[in-house]
Amino acid sequence: MRKFGITLLVLVLLGAVGYAIYYFLEPKAPNVSLDFAKPGDVFIGKPFALSISYANSSDQVLKNAKFLVVLPPEIAFLGKPADQRVFEKPIGDVGPGSVTPETLNLVALSGAQSFKEVTAKLRYNLANNPDVQFEATKTFDLGLGLPAVSLTVVVPQSINSGENFDTQVKLQNNTGEDVKSITLKLSYPPVFNFVKSDKEEARKNNQEWIFPMLAKGQTDSVTVNGNIVGADLARYQFAASASSDYMGQTYAMDNQTADIAISPSPLSLSVLVNGSDPNSYVARAGDEINYEMKYKNNSPVPLSNLKLTAGMVGEMYDFSTLSASAVFNSITNVLTWTQQNVGDLAVLNPGEERSISFRVRLKNAFTIRRLGDKNFSVKLNLSLESPTVPPGVAAQKTVTISKTETKLAGQTDVKATGYFYDSASGILNKGPYPPKANQKTQYTVHWKVTNYTTDIADTVIKATVIPGVNFTGQVKSNADTKPTYDAQSGVITWNLGSVPATKGIVTPAFEAVFQIEYTPSNLQVGKEVVLLGATELSAKDVFVDRGISAASDQITTFLKEDPKIPSNLDRNVRP
C-alpha cells in the first residue's frame, strides 16, 4: 500500500512538471486587438464606409502581418463582384504600440432592417517564433436600415380581361441626402400589353425609367397603362426594382412585387372533351376527340358579332380527320367561327348560353426519335370576343379566353418469348428437342419491356408456370433487379420498378432471361405443351397518374420465336 502511494505521488509530480514546462514554453500571443467604429445609418443599395483599426499593444514587432475582412452574403465590397466575400491586405511589420485604422467602402445588397455579422482578422508572426502564425479576430453586428430608395407597387385587386388598367410604382428616398442616377425597371407578365405611361421624359423604354436625382425625403412615381387578356381568375405578377450604379457595378436598392387577378368575364367560355372535364380526361393514340365549347353572356346587355377562335397545338392531331363548321387556317392550325358560318354568333342575349362543337382524330402512333420525345399532349387555345362592351367596363372589346390541355396516356409492351437454342443468352439448355416423353428438356424464357412516351413506376411483370414445370434458378437481367420464383404458387415475378420513356425505342430495352425445365408424359405425345401462362405487366403511368398494363401470350413447346428450329420440323412431343 505504501509503495502504491509513493508511485502515485511520483506520477502527480511528473504531470505537474510537464504542465509547467508546456505552459512556460508554449508560444504566447502578444496583446493585439481589433476594433470597429460604428458607422452612421446604413441603407440598402447606398455605399457606406466602415472603419476598423488594429492595435499592437505589445513590446514586440508583428511580422508579415495581413489584414482580412470577411463579409456576409448581404454585403459587398464597393466596386467588386457581389460574390467576393473576403478582403485581404498585406501589411508587413506592425511596430509596438501602434494603432492603425483601415477604411473599407461597402454596400448592403439586401437584408433591410436586420443585423449582419462582419468579421475582421489580423494574422502575423513574431521574430522570435517565425514558424507559428498568430491570429486576432473581432466580429461586429452591423445594423442594416431601409432601402435607400424604397418602392411600392400599386395595382387593382382584379381587372376584366382586355380592360385597360393602371399600374403605379412609387419611389421614396429614405436617406438624408440626394440619391442620384436611379434606374426603375418594371417586369410585366408575358401577356401584358403596354399602352402608355407618364414620365415620358424619364422613360428609356417600355420597362425602364431613369431618374437623374431623387432629393432627400422626396417621393416620385411612374404610372403604366395597359391590359391583359387572360382566363377567369388567373393571377399575374408585376415586379419593380430600383437600382443605381457605383464604380462600374449596379446595386439594387429595393425589389417589390404585386399580384393582379382576372375577374370573371361578362362572357364566359368553357370546353368539354368527349363530354368530360378536360382536367381529368386522358386520351390515347388513335382516339377521336369531340370538343364542345360552351359560351354564355353574363352581362346585362346583348353581345353582338361574336367571333370564336380555337388554336390547335400538338403533333398528335391528325388534321386530315378534322370535322368543323369553321374556317380552318392550315398554316396556323386555327379554327375561326363568325356569324358568317354560325348564325347564332350574330347576337347573344343576356343570360343566354350556346355551344359549338368540332371533332378531330388523334394519330394512331407516336413519333419517337430522341430521349425527349415524351409526355405527349394536345392543346386547345380558345378566344371568344365581341365588340360590344358592357357599361362601366373600360375596354375596347369584350373578350375571354380558355386553354385546355389533354394528356395522352403512354404505351408499354411486354414480350415473352421462349427458346431452346439460346447460347447467346449465356444459359445452356439441355435435353432433347423436340421434347420426348419421360425426358427432361430445358428452355429459356425472355421478358423484354418496351416503354414509349411516358415514364412508368412500380412496374411488375408476372407469369405462372404450368404444374410440372420447374424453375432452375438460372436467371439474368440488364436491370437492377431480376425475376424471382415462388415455388408454392408457381408465380415468377419481376419487380422492375421505374422504366423511363423511350426505353426500348431510343435506348436498349430492359430484358430478363430465366430457365425452366419440363418432363412430358406419355399422354402428351403428339401434342404441343404449355410451359408458361400469359405474362402480365402492371405499372403506373407517371404523366397521367393512371394505371397501365400490358400482356404477352403463353409460351409453349412450339417455341415459334426460336430461329434455329427448322420451320418444317414437327415440334410436338415425341415418344
Side-chain angles (χ1 to χ4, degrees), residues 474-543:
Q474 291 287 318
V475 60
K476 293 186 174 183
S477 165
N478 63 357
D480 293 335
T481 60
K482 298 178 181 180
T484 59
Y485 176 62
D486 181 3
Q488 186 171 359
S489 64
V491 176
I492 300 173
T493 303
W494 188 14
N495 290 305
L496 184 54
S498 297
V499 182
T502 73
K503 189 69 175 174
I505 307 296
V506 179
T507 58
F510 281 135
E511 185 173 5
V513 183
F514 55 89
Q515 187 184 62
I516 56 177
E517 58 187 20
Y518 181 66
T519 303
S521 70
N522 291 328
L523 297 177
Q524 294 171 318
V525 172
K527 298 179 181 179
E528 175 185 349
V529 180
V530 176
L531 300 171
L532 186 71
T535 298
E536 297 179 346
L537 177 149
S538 63
K540 176 184 176 181
D541 187 323
V542 176
F543 181 53

Side-chain angles (χ1 to χ4, degrees), residues 50-376:
L50 180 64
S51 294
I52 308 169
S53 61
Y54 50 89
N56 179 8
S57 302
S58 73
D59 58 358
Q60 302 182 65
V61 176
L62 310 184
K63 309 290 289 184
N64 305 316
K66 290 182 181 180
F67 175 67
L68 299 94
V69 175
V70 182
L71 298 180
E74 295 82 3
I75 302 174
F77 298 102
L78 187 64
K80 303 296 182 181
D83 59 353
Q84 181 179 330
R85 303 265 69 82
V86 179
F87 167 82
E88 183 175 327
K89 178 181 178 180
I91 298 171
D93 293 348
V94 179
S98 63
V99 178
T100 306
E102 296 282 354
T103 299
L104 299 176
N105 292 316
L106 308 176
V107 60
L109 306 175
S110 60
Q113 296 184 300
S114 66
F115 286 92
K116 302 300 174 183
E117 187 176 89
V118 179
T119 302
K121 300 179 180 182
L122 189 69
R123 293 174 180 167
Y124 57 91
N125 304 109
L126 297 176
N128 60 0
N129 209 337
D131 296 330
V132 178
Q133 185 178 72
F134 296 89
E135 181 178 281
T137 301
K138 182 70 176 289
T139 59
F140 177 68
D141 287 332
L142 179 63
L144 307 183
L146 294 169
V149 173
S150 58
L151 301 175
T152 304
V153 182
V154 181
V155 296
Q157 285 189 341
S158 61
I159 57 170
N160 292 313
S161 178
E163 177 183 12
N164 289 349
F165 64 93
D166 287 340
T167 298
Q168 185 184 48
V169 182
K170 300 178 181 179
L171 301 87
Q172 169 71 50
N173 183 350
N174 297 312
T175 73
E177 56 189 62
D178 300 342
V179 178
K180 298 179 180 180
S181 187
I182 302 167
T183 298
L184 173 66
K185 185 174 182 179
L186 303 187
S187 297
Y188 310 122
V191 293
F192 178 74
N193 301 303
F194 180 94
V195 176
K196 62 181 180 178
S197 75
D198 63 357
K199 295 292 189 300
E200 283 297 313
E201 71 283 358
R203 184 163 68 93
K204 181 179 179 181
N205 51 52
N206 289 347
Q207 290 186 273
E208 289 184 295
W209 287 259
I210 307 298
F211 293 84
M213 185 182 71
L214 191 62
K216 62 179 181 179
Q218 182 184 354
T219 62
D220 209 332
S221 67
V222 169
T223 300
V224 172
N225 183 266
N227 60 74
I228 292 175
V229 176
D232 288 358
L233 304 180
R235 299 190 67 84
Y236 300 96
Q237 186 176 85
F238 289 78
S241 66
S243 63
S244 191
D245 292 342
Y246 297 97
M247 297 181 65
Q249 298 285 331
T250 299
Y251 297 103
M253 293 179 282
D254 198 13
N255 296 278
Q256 295 295 330
T257 62
D259 290 344
I260 195 169
I262 303 295
S263 300
S265 172
L267 188 59
S268 62
L269 178 63
S270 62
V271 62
L272 294 177
V273 180
N274 286 350
S276 300
D277 182 344
N279 294 319
S280 60
Y281 184 80
V282 175
R284 298 183 181 277
D287 281 359
E288 182 179 67
I289 302 295
N290 181 73
Y291 288 109
E292 182 183 7
M293 299 160 290
K294 296 184 177 182
Y295 55 98
K296 182 179 180 180
N297 182 358
N298 299 313
S299 77
V301 297
L303 300 177
S304 62
N305 195 20
L306 285 87
K307 181 175 75 171
L308 174 64
T309 61
M312 303 173 67
V313 181
E315 61 181 276
M316 287 301 291
Y317 280 126
D318 184 354
F319 292 105
S320 66
T321 67
L322 183 63
S323 176
S325 60
V327 175
F328 178 62
N329 186 325
S330 59
I331 298 176
T332 60
N333 296 329
V334 173
L335 293 160
T336 302
W337 292 265
T338 64
Q339 60 180 327
Q340 278 72 38
N341 46 26
V342 178
D344 284 348
L345 293 175
V347 177
L348 187 65
N349 291 314
E352 190 173 8
E353 182 177 18
R354 295 175 183 160
S355 66
I356 294 176
S357 299
F358 74 94
R359 298 191 310 276
V360 65
R361 187 171 290 279
L362 303 181
K363 294 177 181 177
N364 292 319
F366 299 102
T367 301
I368 302 174
R369 301 184 184 91
R370 54 188 182 273
L371 289 173
D373 291 333
K374 58 183 288 188
N375 297 344
F376 284 74

